[in-house]
């Protein structure tokens, strides 16, 4: 195992842990903002796993970044929706 693969796994684990953290807050409050954050961090973790273990050439990595882009769009949409609701 190489160091970048190990670090990619550690980062993925962190994303999944944060996802569970936000899911716990959703269970307590039923606020949809926390679900959006949980799903976003889950997507970020999946994208990191694909990048770390995929062994893809640089040209094909751009498709994986769409997963990250989707996660960030989901966070932005959830924050905007939360601010409009208040």
């Amino acid at each position: 195992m190489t160091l970048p693969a190990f670090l990619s796994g550690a980062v993925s684990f962190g994303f999944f842990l944060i996802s569970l953290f936000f899911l716990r807050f959703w269970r307590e409050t039923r606020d949809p903002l926390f679900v959006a954050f949980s799903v976003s961090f889950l997507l970020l973790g999946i994208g990191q796993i694909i990048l770390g273990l995929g062994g893809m050439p640089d040209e094909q990595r751009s498709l994986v970044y769409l997963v990250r882009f989707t996660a960030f769009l989901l966070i932005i949409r959830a924050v905007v929706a939360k601010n409009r609701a208040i």
Side-chain angles (χ1 to χ4, degrees):
M1 176 180 288
T2 62
L3 183 62
F6 175 77
L7 292 176
S8 180
V11 170
S12 299
F13 176 73
F15 282 138
F16 290 131
L17 197 62
I18 293 170
S19 175
L20 290 176
F21 190 71
F22 280 113
L23 196 61
R24 187 182 77 179
F25 279 124
W26 174 77
R27 286 183 60 199
E28 294 175 2
T29 64
R30 298 293 180 192
D31 190 351
L33 178 72
F34 294 127
V35 172
F37 271 69
S38 179
V39 171
S40 296
F41 279 101
L42 185 68
L43 287 173
L44 289 172
I46 290 171
Q48 189 66 38
I49 285 176
I50 293 171
L51 282 176
L53 301 177
M56 292 185 285
D58 289 341
E59 300 85 31
Q60 295 176 352
R61 288 184 175 195
S62 59
L63 294 176
V64 177
Y65 289 111
L66 285 176
V67 175
R68 287 185 179 181
F69 183 67
T70 303
F72 287 116
L73 283 180
L74 188 60
I75 289 173
I76 290 170
R77 185 178 183 279
V79 169
V80 168
K82 178 72 176 181
N83 286 329
R84 286 188 177 182
I86 295 177

